[in-house]
Structure formats: C-alpha cells, structure tokens
C-alpha cells in the first residue's frame, strides 16, 4: 500500500523532503501540499509526477480524506496548530523540529496525544539516524570508553539570514545538540547556562555569534555546545564524548582526503541538506514504514517537549546571565513503551 502524505509548508526542507518521498524512498507519495505562499505550493505540486492537490490551508489539507499522514515543515511557530489538528484527525504526523516553540505548546501536544492512548507524532531530530552519531552511541552503550564524562558538541553554519536572532539560534540550532545530548548520553538535562564568547565581526547587527551553552545532565555529565552560525567556511558538525577510559568522536565526513603540495584537504559540506542527507532519508523511510505498518517510531512528542524545555531554559539563561534549573513533568506511559529507534 502507498502512503499518501500531505505536506504543510513547502520551503527549503519541505521541498527537500518532498524530493526524497518522491524519488528516493519507497512506500509513499505526496498527495497534497499547502503553503501560506500558495503560488509556491502550486509550483511545487505542478513539479510532482501526476501532480498533487493544493489546499488553501493546513487545516483543509489535514481534513483531506485522501491524506493518510501529515508532514509539518512550516515555520516553528505554526507547528502546534497543525500537530494538534493532525492528532484530532487521528492521523500520524511527522513534524520538523522544533515540535513547538514553547513549553506550554509542547505540553498541549503531549496532552492531546496522550488522550488518544497512542503515539501519533514523530519529531524531525534526524541526527539520531546519522551513521556517525549511531556509531558514537554504540561505542558508549558497549562500554568501550567507560562512563561518559563530558560531551563537546560544535554546531557551525556558514551563514544565516539577517532575520535570525541570538535567541533564535538557541531555539532553532542548539535544539539539535540538546536532543542528541539526551539521546547519546541517555539522560535528561538538569540545568543550563549560556556564555557569550567574543563576538565575531562577521555576525550581522543584532546577532551575538558564537554562543556557548553548557548543560548539566542529571547524572553529572557536562555538555558544552558551541553554536556558531557565521563561520563562512562551511557546515561543520563536531562531537566528542570523553569517557573514563577513552574517547569517541565524529569522523570527518568527506569521501576522500586529497594530499597535494605538502597539504591535505577534504570537503566541508555546504549545509545541513548535504551533511545529513542519508540521515534524513533513513529517518523518513522509517516513518513511512512505521505508519504503513500501523505503528509509530522515532523521536516522540516527549523528545520534542524535553528539547524545547531546555531551549527555553537556555534563552532564560541568556537573558539573566544565571544558571537555570530544568525540570520536566512526569512522563506519560505512551512515551515509555516501545516505538523507539534504539
Ligand atoms: P522555509 O522558510 O524555507 O520554509 C517554510 C515554509 O513554510 C515557507 O514556504 C512558508 O511560506 C511556509 N509557511 C509558513 N507558515 C505557514 C503556515 N502557517 N501554513 C503553511 N505554510 C506556512 O523554512 P525551512 O528552513 O524549510 O524550515 C521549516 C521548518 O523546518 C522549521 O521548523 C525549521 O526549524 C525546520 N528545519 C529543520 C531542519 C533539520 O535539520 N531537521 C533543517 C531546516 C529546517
Ligand atoms: C536549521 O533549521 C536546521 O535545523 C539545521 O539542521 C541547523 O543546522 C540550522 O542551524 C538550523 O537553522
């Protein structure tokens, strides 16, 4: 059976996911699209083999009987409305990060999903499907480096639009490092602190870049997250866990290393699309397969909630200059039973 997917928001990642659903993955097709920019939605639909229905709103798309499952790839502030509407319609929803932009919004989603008694939401934390991060996790779980002590995570983007704010970097960029910290270390965040290193002269007005976010995990592990979004040289994701008896780090990602003229060089990816291309493919194939089989998989609404609670704490720490304690509500049973990717 082919899964008919409806896509809300056909900007950069929406179009990239539509490409993979249409030409890379198996078991799904894009049946309908919508966007506040209707011309963009029409043009994307026209480019699909056999076309796709264009809806005037996300709610219309969710109500379309020919849409089996919903993909939310619109701006973060709009996610809550569509995820709640998808849950109300009893449809499986793949929501790009962040699940929602506030703790309260994420809690409303958790309440709505919990009331159905089953998981309907998967959040797009694709790093969990990256071969490098999976090998890191396996190394830690196998005990090869002893207990983890410190995790260094660097998240570097070449450039960002002028509209991006310092707080936006925490909510939109650091959220990936926060999720991967919880997943790799298998523990929750207990407190957050923010530091502002010397500001890059290349940062646009109003943006403090880079930032340093320090997380205290509940088992005492410390995480330092360097977010730098104007590095110019490429998209560079780095990670190393120091353990009691060893260390495990992400390898460089280029296919080859060129040695010439006394120097060696390798490719630095342009952006997240290139760096995580396989991770996005795997993430979405697993979603399609799970939905087709009537089950759920992957990062849950609980994971989305936990990450947003920490980004909220990071933003508060940035404003106050203080250490901010983090606490989560009790975890509902549906998030403790099966359906995980590890
Ligand atoms: P974008 O600005 O390129 O595309 C967003 C699209 O959503 C635009 O076409 C916009 O017109 C549309 N839109 C906005 N509000 C809408 C609404 N209420 N209803 C329908 N359409 C609406 O943004 P981008 O970069 O594609 O990001 C979209 C989402 O995906 C964000 O939540 C972002 O954080 C996430 N994202 C995740 C990535 C990942 O690595 N997992 C990478 C890039 C983005
Ligand atoms: C973007 O929204 C993403 O999610 C990318 O993975 C991240 O690297 C980038 O900083 C965000 O703006």
């Amino acid at each position: 059976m082919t899964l008919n997917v409806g896509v809300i928001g056909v900007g950069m990642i929406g179009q990239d996911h539509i490409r993979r659903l249409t030409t890379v993955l198996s078991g799904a097709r894009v049946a309908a699209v919508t966007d506040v920019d209707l011309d963009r939605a029409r043009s994307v639909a026209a480019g699909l083999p056999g076309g796709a229905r264009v809806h005037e709103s996300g709610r219309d798309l969710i109500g379309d009987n020919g849409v089996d499952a919903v993909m939310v790839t619109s701006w973060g502030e709009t996610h809550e409305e569509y995820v709640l509407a998808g849950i109300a319609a009893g449809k499986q929803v793949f929501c790009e990060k962040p699940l929602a932009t506030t703790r309260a919004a994420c809690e409303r989603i958790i309440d709505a999903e919990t009331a159905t008694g089953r998981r309907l939401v998967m959040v797009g934390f694709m790093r969990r499907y990256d071969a490098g991060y999976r090998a890191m996790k396996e190394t830690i779980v196998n005990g090869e480096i002893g207990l983890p002590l410190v995790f260094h995570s660097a998240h570097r983007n070449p450039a960002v639009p002028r509209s991006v704010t310092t707080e936006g970097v925490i909510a939109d960029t650091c959220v990936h490092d926060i999720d991967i910290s919880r997943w790799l270390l298998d523990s929750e965040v207990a407190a957050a602190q923010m530091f502002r290193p010397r500001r890059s002269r290349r940062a646009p007005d109003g943006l403090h870049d880079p930032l340093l976010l320090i997380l205290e995990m509940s088992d005492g592990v410390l995480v330092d997250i360097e977010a730098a979004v104007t590095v110019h040289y490429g998209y560079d994701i780095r990670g190393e866990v120091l353990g009691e008896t060893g260390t495990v780090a992400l390898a460089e990602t280029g296919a080859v290393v060129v040695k010439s003229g006394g120097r060696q060089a390798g490719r630095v990816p342009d952006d997240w699309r290139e760096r995580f291309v396989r991770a996005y493919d795997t993430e979405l194939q697993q979603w399609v397969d799970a939905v087709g089989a009537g089950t759920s998989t992957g990062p849950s609404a609980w994971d989305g909630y936990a990450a947003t609670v920490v980004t909220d704490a990071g933003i508060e720490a940035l404003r106050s200059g203080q250490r901010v304690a983090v606490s989560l509500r009790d975890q509902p049973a549906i998030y403790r039973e099966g359906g995980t990717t590890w």
Side-chain angles (χ1 to χ4, degrees):
M1 192 199 92
T2 300
L3 185 75
N4 292 299
V5 179
V7 180
I8 302 176
V10 292
M12 271 196 297
I13 201 158
Q15 290 184 36
D16 203 37
H17 285 342
I18 287 172
R19 175 192 60 76
R20 59 175 43 87
L21 283 172
T22 309
T23 64
V24 182
L25 309 183
S26 59
R29 64 182 278 270
V30 176
V33 297
T34 186
D35 198 292
V36 280
D37 181 344
L38 270 176
D39 286 340
R40 179 179 285 176
R42 286 190 197 102
S43 135
V44 167
L48 287 168
R53 288 183 294 287
V54 177
H55 286 286
E56 296 219 340
S57 75
R59 284 179 177 269
D60 289 348
L61 178 141
I62 291 165
D64 180 340
N65 289 332
V67 167
D68 305 318
V70 178
M71 176 172 287
V72 180
T73 45
S74 48
W75 297 321
E77 301 72 29
T78 69
H79 291 181
E80 178 192 6
E81 177 189 352
Y82 298 134
V83 174
L84 286 174
I87 293 171
K91 295 189 178 178
Q92 292 277 349
V93 181
F94 175 89
C95 179
E96 260 310 334
K97 42 66 51 175
L99 172 63
T101 48
T102 65
R103 175 185 195 125
C106 292
E107 290 189 349
R108 285 190 284 275
I109 291 171
I110 284 180
D111 288 340
E113 191 180 37
T114 306
T116 71
R118 65 194 176 117
R119 279 194 48 193
L120 289 167
V121 180
M122 172 168 166
V123 182
F125 287 129
M126 78 299 181
R127 287 188 180 191
R128 296 181 182 211
Y129 299 89
D130 174 66
Y133 280 116
R134 292 190 76 82
M136 273 179 95
K137 171 104 177 159
E138 205 174 328
T139 305
I140 296 168
V141 169
N142 291 345
E144 286 178 60
I145 60 165
L147 284 178
L149 308 172
V150 180
F151 174 36
H152 307 286
S153 189
H155 189 155
R156 300 182 189 148
N157 286 233
V160 283
R162 297 195 77 82
S163 56
V164 168
T165 63
T166 310
E167 294 183 359
V169 170
I170 301 172
D172 211 40
T173 298
C174 297
V175 68
H176 284 292
D177 305 82
I178 292 164
D179 178 68
I180 208 68
S181 302
R182 296 179 58 247
W183 181 77
L184 269 181
L185 302 168
D186 198 20
S187 67
E188 294 296 353
V189 177
Q193 260 181 287
M194 291 291 319
F195 295 89
R196 299 173 197 236
R198 170 190 275 176
R199 181 172 174 274
S200 166
R201 289 174 297 173
R202 295 180 156 196
D205 286 349
L207 178 67
H208 193 101
D209 187 62
L211 289 174
L212 198 62
L213 168 60
I214 306 291
L215 304 180
E216 293 169 33
M217 306 305 285
S218 53
D219 53 8
V221 177
L222 281 188
V223 177
D224 62 273
I225 298 169
E226 172 215 298
V229 295
T230 59
V231 298
H232 287 246
Y233 71 87
Y235 184 79
D236 194 12
I237 302 298
R238 316 190 69 79
E240 179 182 20
V241 174
L242 170 71
E244 295 167 304
T245 58
T247 160
V248 57
L250 291 175
E252 296 294 343
T253 54
V256 291
V257 174
V258 177
K259 295 182 184 176
S260 169
R263 295 165 70 85
Q264 65 177 36
R267 181 168 167 72
V268 180
D270 278 341
D271 63 9
W272 38 270
R273 278 174 293 211
E274 180 181 348
R275 168 63 181 82
F276 288 111
V277 62
R278 296 284 161 254
Y280 294 118
D281 290 349
T282 309
E283 154 192 85
L284 281 189
Q285 186 65 67
Q286 290 199 8
W287 179 66
V288 168
D289 292 347
V291 176
T295 60
S296 54
T297 188
S300 66
W302 177 264
D303 295 311
Y305 156 73
T308 293
V309 169
V310 180
T311 59
D312 274 3
I315 290 169
E316 191 184 331
L318 181 81
R319 289 178 187 160
S320 67
Q322 304 293 311
R323 171 185 180 276
V324 174
V326 173
S327 65
L328 301 178
R329 65 192 281 184
D330 289 341
Q331 191 181 41
I334 60 165
Y335 303 116
R336 284 186 252 121
E337 299 153 358
T340 57
T341 51
W342 192 267

